[in-house]
Every structure is written in structure tokens, then in C-alpha cells.
Amino acid sequence: MSKCILSVCLALPVALFLSACDTQPGAEPVSVEAPPREVERLHSERGGIGAVPTPERTSAMAGVSINPRRSLFVTETAILSQFSFKAVMDQLVAQSGVPGLTSLQLFRQLWDTQNPRPGLGLGEHCNDQVDGANRPIFNGFPYACRPGEGVQAQRDPFSNPGSSDFYSPIGLAMRFDLAPADGSDCGEYRIVFAKNPSGGRNLVIFEAVLPNPTPALGLDGCLPVAELWEGLSINNSVTDRATKLRDFYFNGLPGFMPVIHLDNYGAATGRATGQLRTNQFMAGNWLLREFKLTRNCVGASCTLKATISTDKVNPFGGLFSPGSAHPTTADFRDLLASPAVVAGLAVNDLNAFNYTVPDRFNGAQSDQQSFENNYVAQFGSGGTVKPRMQAQLTALGSTLTPENLVARAQALSCAGCHQLSNGANLGGGLQWPGSLGFVHVAESTENGPEGPRFQISPALTNVFLPHRKAILEEFLNRPRGCAHSTCVMGGPLPATCHPCAATVCEVDSVCCSSNWDSICVEEAQALCNICN
């Protein structure tokens, strides 16, 4: 998905900067000088090492083969029971250091953004910005008030598991494919929560960008994270996998900050961060929205709030219309007809066609059930931009049409990826794969090989997860300086060959100077938590 709710559809390489304003207890990041670059991801689902056609497997890649349902998208109920909504919210509130702030207050403030002001008076509201006709807008585009979901500003999602207001975890997503090639971060790690559907369906997804604590090592600084998830594929104990994942999310691997940290959802400055996404069904059209956690301090007084953000790679649908009079329309048409955008959308691979949308064109809602986000219908006859796009396609020698490119842009939007583009003909023999009806992981369960698990979409199963599997396996099988794994006995290992070798050798120099014996293996397990 295009920074769309569930982790499905592939982000622009962005740099990690560590700021003195960031709150990162428990981690000891290495400060490395880097040139300035864009720190806000302009892609949600396509970017980093995953924004390439699926790597071909070779005999050299035979060493690692992962199970996608263990190492990429985890939905077993026995594992997810370790990830309560309240525990996640409690950890974020505790990290904020805001006196008196509670998880319930933060939850209610998040949903009060969907109500007209004054609401609870705790933060932003849907109509803080209005156009000349007094209609709610955000970033210059329509932003509908949603009191049907805003009613949750008066509800308790934590206390009663039998209540229609209660939220439960339904999925964990490993998005190492979103890590930039330079290793400035380690990709995204997500938790999907679903409201009890008896009172109306609603989903909240926590999508954390995990910093690389040793960026000097490049992407190999993230190797312990990749190896942790790889190890889940060969670990047959559901209980042990649940413990490892909970520790990774709530405490972090040695040297890494926890996944569940307010900095990773928007509060950090000077580096790429993640976001919260909502998939809203409770009233009105099915809608997808995005939020950031924002921590502001004046002196010693701080606040933590959920703030409205744009949906990335979700240009406002009206900009595709030949009759659009929006002030950014001319610039958007120039973007659509640019060589880079045409070439990116013309890539004939379901996992790799792509384009970058500057944020000034993005709306803050993606509506699956209205004309607003139906780019294909909005484009219509194409107007003056159509022949310009066709000229670029002709120059590329492509048989695609401008309408095919618009259909692909729609598929990359949140609404398109989740429902609007299901089964759509994208040209070049490509057809967009199906969701589960506006979601890619559902509240309903099936009998999996290890017990009940939540269902995932055909799009994930057949298209997106195989690509992510190939990306992760290629990374894990790259030649490296270690003569053997840190999890097996052998000769001495140089501290420079792997972050875990560096960690072990710091406390036991014999492992790097004499022999990597059983004690070194035990130390690797204890200190790095990557051996199974």
C-alpha cells in the first residue's frame, strides 16, 4: 500500500539523523556525519531496497529460505495475545514524560481530530482549516469531518474485552523492504489493531521506522534485525517466537531502540519516522487517514498529541480531472507528464512500478467509495496532459497508454490498493491483486498450521509477500566477512564482520582473537538475541 494502512503494497531512501531533541532511552546510537537530505518519506509502501523488480533466486541464495507467515506477516492469535493495545499506548505515554497524560486521554485526543471543534479541546480538529465556503480542508484539499469515528473520543478501548469499543491486535508486519539502500534506517515494523466489529469496524495501524544505530556499517547495521526475523522461520515454538517478537517491539535488540517508541511514529526530528494509519468504516464512506505523534516542549513543559497528516502517494483525485481549477493543477500535470513519472509508472512489474508525489499534491484522506479518489474516472478524456504523457511513452517504446499509467497511480493510492483497484487492468498484462474488502488483514480467523490466525489478502499471499521474501533472502545471503555465523562454533571472528560479533568481542576478546567456542555462541544468544 502506498503509505496506506496495512502493510502491503512497498519508501524513498531517506537519511537518519539523531537529534538532541529525540527521546531514545535504552539505545546508544552512533553519530555519523551525512549530507542533508529529505527526511520525510514520500512513499509508504514502495521504496528502499524493495523498490526494484523481484530478485531472481540463484544457487548462491540457497543458504536462507524464509517462511513469509512466520518472518514477514505474523497473524497467529497465540503470538498476538502478547501485544495488547493498552500496553502499546501505555509505553508511548510513559516515553512522553508528560505529567498526568494517560493512554485513554491520548486515544480520545486521536479520535477527537475527527470531530468539529471545539470537541474536547485537546488538539486538532477536522475543521481547523476551511476553504472560502467554510468546508473543512487539509493541505488545501477536502477533509471530511467524521463524527461517526469521532464518537470514540468518549469511549474506552482498553477495559472490557467484550465491549464493542475494545481493540485487539490482528497482525505484525515486517517491512525490511522499506529500508534505504544506504542503511540510514532499518525499514518499518507494524502492528495492526482492530476494533470489535460488533460496534462498527475500525482499524489503527502503528507503523514505526526503526533507526539503524550503526549507520557507519550501512545496511549491515540492520543485520541483527533481519536475522531475528529470519530465525522465526526455523523456530517451531510459537511461545518462543511470541517472546522474541514482544521483546523486539517493546524493548529492542541490544543497541537498538524499541520499535514501540514515540520517536518512531513522528515525534523524532531530523530523521525519517513512521506514522499511525486508520482504516475507518464506522460511518460514511470507507476512508483511510494518517496521523503523526507530535511531542512539543516549551521549557520543561511538554505535550504529546496525535496530529493530522497527509496520505503519501495520494494526490487529490480532482487534480487528474481535465476541468480542475485547483491552483496546483498545472504543476501536477507537469509532474504527470514528466519523464521520471512516466518511466516509473511504466515499469511492468506489480511490485516495482512507482512514482514520487511531492506532498503539496497529497490529500489527507483516501476515500474508496466516492468519485474523489477514482483517478481513472477523474482523468476521463485526459485533456491536454494526455498527449504529453503519450509522447513520453512513445519515447520509451512502451505500448502502455496514459490511461494505464493513471490506473497504476490509482492502484498505488490507499483507496486503490485496499479496494478501488481490485482486479483492475493496468496494461502490459498486469492486473491489480485483490484485497479482503478494504483490508489486507481481516478480523476473521482461519485454522493455520499452528492454530488460529487472522486471514490475509490474496494480494499479500500471492504478490507482495513473495517479493518481500526475495528481497530479505537476497540481503541475508549477501557475502559477508564472517567465516561462519555467530550462532555456531568455529574460528575467531573479526569484530568488523557483523554487529553481533562486535558486541560479543567487546565483552569477550577471546572470541575474536582465538576461537569462537560454545561460550561465544552463548554470549551471542544472550547479547544479540538472534540465535534460535
Side-chain angles (χ1 to χ4, degrees):
M1 308 175 304
S2 31
K3 253 188 180 199
C4 289
I5 287 262
L6 306 180
S7 352
V8 273
C9 313
L10 260 158
L12 183 69
V14 286
L16 167 66
F17 290 102
L18 299 172
S19 164
C21 299
D22 295 350
T23 50
Q24 302 183 22
E28 297 181 358
V30 175
S31 178
V32 175
E33 298 257 348
R37 34 180 125 176
E38 176 63 64
V39 296
E40 174 65 55
R41 290 192 194 271
L42 295 179
H43 283 272
S44 52
E45 301 302 328
R46 302 200 168 203
I49 58 174
V52 295
T54 302
E56 293 183 10
R57 282 194 68 86
T58 67
S59 58
M61 296 176 65
V64 171
S65 180
I66 65 166
N67 179 340
R69 294 304 302 268
R70 285 189 180 182
S71 294
L72 294 177
F73 211 107
V74 177
T75 65
E76 282 80 12
T77 58
I79 293 176
L80 293 171
S81 64
Q82 302 297 310
F83 293 80
S84 77
F85 190 36
K86 190 171 191 304
V88 171
M89 296 290 280
D90 281 349
Q91 178 146 317
L92 295 172
V93 166
Q95 291 162 347
S96 75
V98 178
L101 181 64
T102 67
S103 298
L104 186 59
Q105 288 172 341
L106 183 60
F107 173 83
R108 288 176 170 176
Q109 183 270 310
L110 165 65
W111 289 109
D112 198 39
T113 62
Q114 304 302 284
N115 292 321
R117 56 185 178 184
L120 299 178
L122 297 177
E124 296 180 347
H125 295 94
C126 55
N127 63 342
D128 285 343
Q129 303 174 34
V130 295
D131 63 14
N134 206 37
R135 294 171 298 196
I137 59 173
F138 188 86
N139 202 35
F141 302 110
Y143 191 82
C145 289
R146 298 279 294 203
E149 285 86 18
V151 70
Q152 294 178 101
Q154 306 293 335
R155 304 290 170 77
D156 180 353
F158 306 126
S159 299
N160 181 5
S163 165
S164 62
D165 300 316
F166 193 77
Y167 278 77
S168 302
I170 62 172
L172 303 175
M174 190 271 204
R175 297 303 308 274
F176 185 74
D177 59 287
L178 295 178
D182 66 1
S184 48
D185 65 65
C186 299
E188 292 193 15
Y189 301 85
R190 300 176 175 180
I191 313 176
V192 184
F193 288 98
K195 179 182 171 295
N196 185 332
S198 65
R201 297 177 72 192
N202 212 57
L203 275 64
V204 180
I205 300 85
F206 289 75
E207 302 178 344
V209 169
L210 184 65
N212 179 354
T214 52
L217 294 177
L219 198 56
D220 273 3
C222 301
L223 189 58
V225 174
E227 290 186 330
L228 169 71
W229 287 82
E230 172 207 350
L232 303 177
S233 286
I234 58 173
N235 186 336
N236 292 323
S237 169
V238 173
T239 301
D240 191 45
R241 298 205 307 271
T243 299
K244 289 181 180 296
L245 284 169
R246 192 183 195 286
D247 191 51
F248 171 67
Y249 273 87
F250 283 90
N251 301 315
L253 293 177
F256 288 80
M257 68 191 301
V259 170
I260 301 169
H261 196 288
L262 59 90
D263 283 354
N264 296 337
Y265 302 108
T269 58
R271 69 165 173 90
T273 66
Q275 57 282 320
L276 308 184
R277 295 185 183 280
T278 60
N279 199 330
Q280 301 176 201
F281 304 76
M282 292 177 68
N285 291 352
W286 294 357
L287 204 67
L288 301 108
R289 287 181 166 171
E290 181 176 324
F291 303 84
K292 297 278 191 179
L293 292 182
T294 304
R295 184 174 184 265
N296 290 317
C297 297
V298 178
S301 177
C302 296
T303 61
L304 178 66
K305 298 182 186 297
T307 56
I308 300 169
S309 183
T310 55
D311 290 353
K312 308 306 181 289
V313 199
N314 277 260
F316 173 62
L319 296 177
F320 287 89
S321 171
S324 173
H326 193 277
T328 63
T329 300
D331 288 345
F332 184 72
R333 289 173 181 163
D334 288 343
L335 176 75
L336 272 186
S338 66
V341 165
V342 171
L345 289 173
V347 173
N348 215 43
D349 185 306
L350 281 173
N351 285 293
F353 67 75
N354 202 7
Y355 73 134
T356 297
V357 180
D359 203 37
R360 64 194 181 101
F361 301 125
N362 285 324
Q365 61 188 25
S366 197
D367 189 333
Q368 186 271 318
Q369 293 178 306
S370 78
F371 183 67
E372 178 180 301
N373 279 92
N374 190 327
Y375 297 169
V376 174
Q378 292 269 18
F379 189 67
S381 62
T384 58
V385 74
K386 180 176 177 177
R388 297 169 60 194
M389 297 171 71
Q390 183 59 61
Q392 294 294 338
L393 287 166
T394 301
L396 288 171
S398 173
T399 59
L400 297 175
T401 67
E403 288 82 0
N404 295 149
L405 300 190
V406 173
R408 294 178 179 205
Q410 177 178 292
L412 294 178
S413 73
C414 288
C417 180
H418 279 261
Q419 178 74 16
L420 202 55
S421 295
N422 282 359
N425 176 12
L426 305 179
L430 301 185
Q431 182 180 58
W432 192 250
S435 67
L436 286 174
F438 202 49
V439 297
H440 286 278
V441 57
E443 304 95 321
S444 54
T445 58
E446 62 184 6
N447 291 321
E450 298 175 286
R453 66 183 184 184
F454 294 98
Q455 294 176 297
I456 64 173
S457 70
L460 273 174
T461 301
N462 301 322
V463 178
F464 304 129
L465 290 186
H467 177 73
R468 297 175 200 170
K469 168 182 163 72
I471 294 294
L472 181 58
E473 289 173 350
E474 186 280 328
F475 171 73
L476 289 166
N477 284 292
R478 290 178 184 177
R480 291 184 171 86
C482 290
H484 57 82
S485 168
T486 56
C487 300
V488 299
M489 293 186 291
L493 294 177
T496 56
C497 81
H498 189 282
C500 186
T503 299
V504 171
C505 292
E506 190 173 335
V507 299
D508 189 348
S509 61
V510 171
C511 299
C512 287
S513 62
S514 178
N515 194 39
W516 196 275
D517 56 20
S518 61
I519 296 176
C520 302
V521 172
E522 291 174 1
E523 290 168 340
Q525 168 63 25
L527 296 173
C528 307
N529 195 28
I530 60 173
C531 305
N532 289 289

